[in-house]
């Protein structure tokens, strides 16, 4: 019995010890650990929570900024990034790339899901970088990551929110308190979902109605300086420069695209109630051009009838603007043309009673190609500071008709050098050889010729011709996806040559130049007696400027100067010469005409002399100066003053 009681006492003692030990452990852990959820953080631990969320907010701001400038993309898809015709580079430096939302029959506009995914990945990566191991808190806290950070991004109706699942244990060194932090959030009052949805609706309407193409065609058709189709009872052939027409169309679009208003959005109001405009819808474009309007029509009726775009939205807090891209401009091709000149067909009356009747008939076809930058703005975002989002659409017209399929933007010719584009090369080898005159021998393979490539908007240096298996040539690869590029060969002392690469081997011929001395003399033209005097050396206050051109060859020289040397083509050539003689600040003469130089004479020549006419008496009045200029350009003196080789 005594043994049993002792055993019972032992059990109670053990139980007591266990209870006592448990109490001690409880008190210890209670004093050591303080488990706190983020919504009840102590004041001391709140800075850590705020720090993580501020890093997430900064990453979110950066993501939204990049997305706004790159049409909804943070990382440009490789297929777009490597094809310069699929994006617009507004800064000219390749820093910002705005992909086209539509290209060659396919749309590439971002979806809500794709944008959320890009924001998620960007915030996750850059928030980690911003946190930087919590080094900023190393003096006060010991912070340990318990698991990897995961991020979710949500494009909500009224904001963009990112949620971070990021379990960390925060130990406050001052009192040994601990907390487990796990949930973090960042939010911006940007209605990106609504912006992307509205942009896609605009694209839908454009693809279904070709509104931008028709808008462009209508502007061109109503401009008298842009000839389309007409029959005019007028004698004398009519002509227009294609370059002038292009400049006119570009200026017209630059001015008028920003005036387009999008129905259902925040835009500049019309001057009168909309009902006053709706009754004008029955009038045609010809009526508008002929001003066949009611006398009381609103002044801005044209803007309502032809510049008010209905894209089936009702977003009065969003504004949408359209504009051209200045650094890109437009491309315009007109047919038929004669060396860049559009000409009418002059039909003169053949019968006796119609012999005084002249009829000009013309019909021109246009291909027009340019990007439109679409800007959507949420003015209430960021507490009223606003958020602007841009993307680009191609406007393509072929033969005076809208043409979206398989046209693209290859007509753009502005050149940019991009190391990334040039370095992404294929495996196929191309053989490029350059021929020219050297040491008196013709058709010789040339060494040390610089070879470059033009593809889309980009230029790439390919290298130089070198001795290679008994030939001077360059064997090289080309950038991927660049079919039939243009190759340019350049060498000091030669004119550049350019040709399109269509096979694995290309041969180019470059024209040799000869560097010779030049000088100028003047001969007096007595306008009263219509006589030309002998050659005289230039007076101290005289100066001559010389423009000499032949095909791709062009030089601009002044005489006298420190370098009185000029390049001539080493061969037969006919040059266009335009020479101006000034004395003091006044133009006193010149020379304008063609000069033919034989290759045989150039070979042995050491210098060339450019005579120039001095008009006397020196004209003082405007009428006299106009008469002098007329004589320089049309007078029968050219053969007497032609340059001479010595």
């Amino acid at each position: 019995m005594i043994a049993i009681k002792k055993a019972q006492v032992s059990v109670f003692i053990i139980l007591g010890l266990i209870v006592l030990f448990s109490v001690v452990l409880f008190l210890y852990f209670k004093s050591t650990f303080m488990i706190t959820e983020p919504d009840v953080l102590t004041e001391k631990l709140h800075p850590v929570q705020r720090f993580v969320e501020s890093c997430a907010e900064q990453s979110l701001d950066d993501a939204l900024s990049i997305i706004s400038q790159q049409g909804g993309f943070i990382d440009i898809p490789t297929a777009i990034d490597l094809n310069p015709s699929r994006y617009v580079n507004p800064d000219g430096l390749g820093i910002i790339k705005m992909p086209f939302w539509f290209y060659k029959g396919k749309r590439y506009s971002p979806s809500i899901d794709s944008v959320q995914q890009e924001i998620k990945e960007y915030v996750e990566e850059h928030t980690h970088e911003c946190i930087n191991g919590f080094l900023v808190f190393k003096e006060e806290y010991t912070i340990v990551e318990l698991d990897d950070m995961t991020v979710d991004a949500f494009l909500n109706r009224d904001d963009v929110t990112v949620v971070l699942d990021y379990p960390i244990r925060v130990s406050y060194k001052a009192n040994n308190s601990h907390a487990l932090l796990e949930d973090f959030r960042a939010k911006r009052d940007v209605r990106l979902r609504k912006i992307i949805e509205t942009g896609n609706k605009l694209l839908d309407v454009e693809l279904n109605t070709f509104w931008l193409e028709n808008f462009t065609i209508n502007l061109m058709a109503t401009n008298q300086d842009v000839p389309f189709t007409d029959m005019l009872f007028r004698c004398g052939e009519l002509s227009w420069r294609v370059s002038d027409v292009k400049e006119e169309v570009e200026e017209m679009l630059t001015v008028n695209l920003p005036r387009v208003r999008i129905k259902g959005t925040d835009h500049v109001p019309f001057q009168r109630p909309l009902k006053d405009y709706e009754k004008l819808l029955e009038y045609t474009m010809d009526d508008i051009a002929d001003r066949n309007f009611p006398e009381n029509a609103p002044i801005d009726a044209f803007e309502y009838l032809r510049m008010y775009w209905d894209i089936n939205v009702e977003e009065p807090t969003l504004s949408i603007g359209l504009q051209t891209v200045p650094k890109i401009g437009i491309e315009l091709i007109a047919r038929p043309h004669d060396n860049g000149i559009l000409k009418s067909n002059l039909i003169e009356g053949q019968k006796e009673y119609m012999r005084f009747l002249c009829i000009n008939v013309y019909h021109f076809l246009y291909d027009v190609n340019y990007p439109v930058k679409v800007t959507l703005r949420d003015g209430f975002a960021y507490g009223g500071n606003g958020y602007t989002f841009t993307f680009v659409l191609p406007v393509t017209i072929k033969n005076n008709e809208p043409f979206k399929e398989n046209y693209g933007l290859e007509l753009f010719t502005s050149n940019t050098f991009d190391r990334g584009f040039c370095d992404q090369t294929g495996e196929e080898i191309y053989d490029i050889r350059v021929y020219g005159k050297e040491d008196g021998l013709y058709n010789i393979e040339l060494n040390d010729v610089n070879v470059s490539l033009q593809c889309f908007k980009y230029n790439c240096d390919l290298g130089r011709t070198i001795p290679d298996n008994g030939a001077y040539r360059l064997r090289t690869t080309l950038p991927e996806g660049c079919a039939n590029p243009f190759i340019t060969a350049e060498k000091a002392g030669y004119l550049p040559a350019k040709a399109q690469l269509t096979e694995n081997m290309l041969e180019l011929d470059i024209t040799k130049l000869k560097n010779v001395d030049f000088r100028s003399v003047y001969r007096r033209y007595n306008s009263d007696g219509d006589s030309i005097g002998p050659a005289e050396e230039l007076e101290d206050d005289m100066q001559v400027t010389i423009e000499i051109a032949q095909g791709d060859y062009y030089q601009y020289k002044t005489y006298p100067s420190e370098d009185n040397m000029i390049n001539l083509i080493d061969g037969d050539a006919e040059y266009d010469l335009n020479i101006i003689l000034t004395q003091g600040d006044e133009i006193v003469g010149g020379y304008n005409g063609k000069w033919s130089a034989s290759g045989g004479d150039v070979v042995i020549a050491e210098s060339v002399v450019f005579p120039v006419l001095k008009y006397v008496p020196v004209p003082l009045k405007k009428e006299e100066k106009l008469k002098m200029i007329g004589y320089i350009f049309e007078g029968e003196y050219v053969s007497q003053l032609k340059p001479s080789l010595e």
Side-chain angles (χ1 to χ4, degrees):
M1 180 68 70
I2 294 174
I4 294 174
K5 289 182 178 180
K6 288 182 177 180
Q8 290 177 338
V9 171
S10 299
V11 170
F12 283 116
I13 292 173
I14 292 172
L15 290 174
L17 291 173
I18 293 174
V19 171
L20 179 62
F21 184 69
S22 299
V23 171
V24 171
L25 284 176
F26 172 75
L27 294 175
Y28 172 77
F29 281 108
K30 182 178 180 181
S31 65
T32 305
F33 290 96
M34 178 180 61
I35 307 300
T36 312
E37 294 300 323
D39 58 340
V40 291
L41 279 174
T42 64
E43 182 180 350
K44 290 296 184 181
L45 294 175
H46 180 73
V48 178
Q49 175 93 19
R50 185 70 196 109
F51 173 70
V52 175
E53 291 184 341
S54 66
C55 281
E57 288 171 353
Q58 182 60 55
S59 299
L60 177 57
D61 286 338
D62 293 343
L64 292 173
S65 176
I66 297 171
I67 283 172
S68 73
Q69 298 178 73
Q70 297 194 157
F73 297 91
I74 293 178
D75 293 319
I76 305 295
T78 303
I80 296 175
D81 192 43
L82 294 180
N83 186 344
S85 68
R86 294 184 61 176
Y87 61 82
V88 165
N89 175 213
D91 59 10
L93 302 174
I95 298 173
I96 300 297
K97 296 179 179 179
M98 294 191 295
F100 287 98
W101 275 21
F102 182 84
Y103 179 77
K104 288 194 174 182
K106 294 182 180 180
R107 65 188 300 159
Y108 295 91
S109 57
S111 65
I112 300 298
D113 289 341
S114 68
V115 175
Q116 288 181 159
Q117 182 64 26
E118 288 222 66
I119 292 176
K120 160 184 158 55
E121 294 174 357
Y122 186 93
V123 170
E124 186 172 304
E125 176 185 352
H126 290 81
T127 300
H128 255 305
E129 294 176 357
C130 174
I131 291 172
N132 193 25
F134 293 101
L135 291 179
V136 68
F137 292 107
K138 66 180 181 179
E139 299 298 329
E140 291 186 84
Y141 300 90
T142 300
I143 303 175
V144 179
E145 293 185 1
L146 302 178
D147 203 348
D148 293 335
M149 176 192 297
T150 60
V151 177
D152 283 316
F154 302 96
L155 270 60
N156 301 318
R157 179 178 178 179
D158 297 317
D159 61 60
V160 179
T161 299
V162 291
V163 178
L164 287 68
D165 182 7
Y166 184 39
I168 58 175
R169 188 178 69 194
V170 183
S171 302
Y172 184 50
K173 295 180 179 180
N175 60 10
N176 291 324
S177 61
H178 297 260
L180 175 64
L181 302 182
E182 188 170 8
D183 297 323
F184 304 88
R185 289 174 178 266
K187 181 171 70 173
R188 288 294 184 244
D189 59 338
V190 174
R191 294 182 302 154
L192 186 56
R193 171 182 286 272
K194 184 56 65 179
I195 287 174
I196 292 173
E197 290 174 345
T198 302
N200 274 292
K201 285 183 180 180
L202 184 147
L203 176 57
D204 289 337
V205 175
E206 163 63 11
L207 296 180
N208 290 327
T209 65
F210 307 115
W211 194 93
L212 289 169
E213 283 77 8
N214 287 315
F215 170 77
T216 304
I217 293 168
N218 287 337
L219 282 180
M220 294 171 64
T222 55
N223 189 326
Q224 295 180 350
D225 294 326
V226 181
F228 259 85
T229 301
D230 208 346
M231 181 173 69
L232 301 175
F233 292 92
R234 185 184 304 170
C235 292
E237 183 182 69
L238 303 176
S239 64
W240 303 262
R241 291 183 180 275
V242 175
S243 59
D244 292 341
V245 173
K246 175 185 174 183
E247 183 177 340
E248 182 69 25
V249 173
E250 187 164 357
E251 181 179 355
M252 199 166 42
L253 290 168
T254 300
V255 171
N256 287 288
L257 268 173
R259 296 169 59 195
V260 172
R261 290 173 245 198
I262 310 297
K263 188 175 182 180
T265 66
D266 179 24
H267 60 69
V268 176
F270 290 98
Q271 295 185 12
R272 285 164 52 177
L274 294 184
K275 64 180 181 179
D276 292 349
Y277 300 86
E278 292 169 356
K279 59 187 178 183
L280 301 175
L281 292 173
E282 61 189 54
Y283 290 87
T284 66
M285 200 69 187
D286 291 335
D287 293 328
I288 298 173
D290 297 337
R291 299 186 181 277
N292 183 23
F293 256 23
E295 292 184 1
N296 63 344
I299 296 176
D300 55 350
F302 182 85
E303 280 97 341
Y304 180 85
L305 295 173
R306 290 296 180 267
M307 303 173 72
Y308 197 31
W309 190 4
D310 186 359
I311 63 170
N312 302 319
V313 299
E314 194 60 42
E315 297 296 338
T317 58
L318 287 183
S319 61
I320 303 178
L322 308 176
Q323 65 183 109
T324 57
V325 184
K327 288 184 178 295
I328 303 298
I330 74 169
E331 282 296 325
L332 182 145
I333 297 175
R335 298 181 303 274
H337 70 86
D338 181 10
N339 291 322
I341 305 296
L342 303 175
K343 296 180 179 180
S344 64
N345 292 318
L346 179 61
I347 304 173
E348 297 182 292
Q350 298 297 319
K351 296 183 180 180
E352 183 65 24
Y353 62 88
M354 292 182 63
R355 66 181 183 274
F356 298 112
L357 178 64
C358 301
I359 303 175
N360 269 283
V361 179
Y362 57 86
H363 174 64
F364 300 115
L365 297 174
Y366 291 95
D367 294 348
V368 181
N369 204 13
Y370 69 95
V372 167
K373 185 170 76 169
V374 183
T375 303
L376 297 94
R377 179 172 174 79
D378 176 6
F380 292 93
Y382 284 104
N385 290 319
Y387 176 78
T388 301
F389 179 96
T390 59
F391 66 93
V392 186
L393 292 178
V395 177
T396 50
I397 297 167
K398 189 171 185 178
N399 295 335
N400 298 349
E401 297 288 340
F403 190 79
K404 288 290 190 187
E405 298 294 325
N406 300 321
Y407 195 45
L409 295 164
E410 281 80 357
L411 291 177
F412 289 171
T413 55
S414 57
N415 295 321
T416 305
F417 178 81
D418 185 279
R419 174 63 64 188
F421 173 77
C422 298
D423 287 347
Q424 297 289 329
T425 61
E427 298 181 356
E428 194 166 1
I429 303 296
Y430 295 85
D431 186 339
I432 300 172
R433 307 187 188 197
V434 183
Y435 297 84
K437 181 180 178 182
E438 191 170 61
D439 297 329
L441 301 176
Y442 291 89
N443 202 33
I444 302 298
E445 285 182 355
L446 298 178
N447 184 31
D448 199 32
V449 179
N450 186 68
V451 180
S452 61
L453 169 147
Q454 181 185 336
C455 186
F456 307 115
K457 299 185 300 180
Y458 282 4
N459 282 343
C460 302
D461 287 326
L462 298 180
R464 293 179 175 272
T465 57
I466 60 173
D468 183 0
N469 289 334
Y472 292 118
R473 61 183 175 181
L474 171 66
R475 290 198 285 187
T476 182
T477 56
L478 301 181
E480 289 182 332
C482 185
N484 301 330
F486 284 92
I487 303 297
T488 299
E490 298 175 282
K491 182 177 174 69
Y494 294 81
L495 285 178
K498 186 176 183 179
Q500 190 169 20
L501 181 66
T502 57
E503 300 177 350
N504 286 68
M505 183 172 181
L506 178 65
E507 297 178 340
L508 297 96
D509 292 305
I510 59 177
T511 302
K512 188 172 179 58
L513 299 172
K514 182 173 181 180
N515 196 238
V516 298
D517 292 318
F518 81 94
R519 63 188 182 92
S520 184
V521 296
Y522 77 92
R523 299 178 64 178
R524 299 173 188 267
Y525 169 69
N526 187 327
S527 59
D528 294 331
D530 191 24
S531 61
I532 298 178
E536 301 180 51
E537 296 296 328
L538 264 60
E539 299 172 16
D540 291 340
D541 59 346
M542 286 183 174
Q543 187 175 52
V544 169
T545 60
I546 301 172
E547 287 183 274
I548 180 170
Q550 195 276 332
D552 294 332
Y553 163 85
Y554 173 84
Q555 282 191 96
Y556 177 86
K557 292 288 184 177
T558 61
Y559 179 84
S561 65
E562 294 182 1
D563 178 22
N564 294 323
M565 301 292 291
I566 194 169
N567 283 318
L568 298 178
I569 293 173
D570 192 354
D572 295 341
E574 184 181 59
Y575 301 94
D576 290 312
L577 281 175
N578 183 27
I579 305 176
I580 298 296
L581 173 64
T582 58
Q583 188 163 20
D585 295 327
E586 295 291 332
I587 297 177
V588 296
Y591 178 95
N592 183 270
K594 294 185 179 295
W595 170 47
S596 295
S598 72
D601 292 338
V602 172
V603 168
I604 61 175
E606 296 182 356
S607 65
V608 57
V609 179
F610 294 102
V612 62
L613 177 145
K614 179 182 179 181
Y615 196 90
V616 293
V618 175
L620 300 176
K621 298 181 180 179
K622 180 179 180 180
E623 294 78 8
E624 296 171 345
K625 292 180 179 180
L626 290 174
K627 186 177 179 180
M628 176 188 68
I629 296 298
Y631 183 79
I632 291 173
F633 278 87
E634 298 179 2
E636 298 179 356
Y637 67 92
V638 174
S639 60
Q640 299 181 60
L641 272 70
K642 68 179 181 179
S644 60
L645 293 166
E646 298 179 347

